[in-house]
Amino acid sequence: MLVDSPPDPSAETAAAPPTRRAIRAAGLLVSVAVLVLVALASIAIGAKELSLGQVWHGLFQDSGTYGDVVVSERLSRTVLGLLVGAALGLSGAVLQALTRNPLADPGLLGINAGASAAVVTAITYFGVTSLSGYVWFAFAGAAVVGALVYVLGGSRGATPVRLALAGTAISAALYGYLQAVMIMDDAALGKMRFWTVGSLSSATDKTIEQVLPFLVVGTVLALALARPLNAMAMGDDTARALGAHLGRTRALAMTAATLLCGAATAACGPIVFVGLMIPHLVRSFTGPDLRWILPYATVLSPVLLLGADIIGRMVARPAELQVGIVTAILGGPVFIFLVRRRRTAQL
């Protein structure tokens, strides 16, 4: 496991000239503009392509035409992609700061495994068949595992290594349980096969309404933790000297990550690599300061997720390739590159 203590973010920020802060702020505005363009493309591109005029008409005028119906359906998909992408990127950045591991992602602490295990249990033993039913089981599973990892990691005395080890052990056990249940139950296998790859195609207004409160609370909490997590990045002793409350910060960070990743996984299934790639990429040009990393990750992660969803719709017309498959295809080589670059840097 690659665990590092990143450079001092507070010192870097204090030394940053106003021009650099202005460049970062301008870059964030450009990122927002790119996100708007990708969101419009997500509405316009699909099995049936729409012009910008049709997209505009469908968004702001309700005439009941076919194009307007398509826009309405794709709008829910795009909004959910925006929310889920932001949640995955933000939770990945928080977990990388919490574990001091720049190659960590939401799956490291078992949150994805908890959600998946809860869903397969709901299907097999409780007969749940609707997405609205999956959401609550998946979120409950993610929350229980998040709390269990925190307790096993030492609660207030938790360390980054303990949290990562507890998450890895629980993930292995839960994925073993998941595979055993699915092998023994063909019906569960058929129903889970679609959910486990990660998809935005089943997005509805109801799904968005169900997960939105958790995503809002998790986002506000994560953004509020930027300063204490910056202090913890310099090491526990230094953080204590600066007045940081380590146990409280770790508990709140785990809560934020569980709310964000749990709700995202509940809505779309486990989507990999978004929470790994974007925070790592953002850190390369913002530096280690989480006051910049978190907003950038919140904006750029939906760009990746919606972009991958658009690619999935284009390469397999009139069918589509699920977004979780596309992000896995894109993320695998990127992860290998990041690991090799880190090993080279350590030699």
Side-chain angles (χ1 to χ4, degrees), residues 289-300:
D289 190 351
L290 285 163
R291 289 176 294 178
W292 288 104
I293 293 174
L294 296 180
Y296 264 98
T298 303
V299 174
L300 291 178

Side-chain angles (χ1 to χ4, degrees), residues 32-48:
V32 172
V34 172
L35 177 58
V36 171
L37 292 176
V38 173
L40 290 175
S42 176
I43 297 174
I45 298 174
K48 173 181 173 57

Side-chain angles (χ1 to χ4, degrees), residues 1-3 90-101 103-117 138-155 158-175 229 232 249-262 265 272 275-276:
M1 183 177 298
L2 301 170
V3 180
L90 195 54
S91 63
V94 168
L95 290 176
Q96 287 176 13
L98 178 65
T99 61
R100 298 179 199 156
N101 183 350
L103 297 182
D105 74 342
L108 181 67
L109 297 186
I111 296 173
N112 284 347
S116 299
F139 184 79
V144 168
V145 169
L148 184 59
V149 167
Y150 181 68
V151 171
L152 294 179
S155 299
T159 64
V161 173
R162 286 180 179 178
L163 290 172
L165 289 176
T168 301
I170 292 174
S171 293
L174 289 178
Y175 278 124
L229 286 174
M232 288 176 58
T249 300
R250 289 190 176 114
L252 291 175
M254 282 290 297
T255 301
T258 299
L259 287 170
L260 291 167
C261 188
T265 304
V272 297
L276 165 65

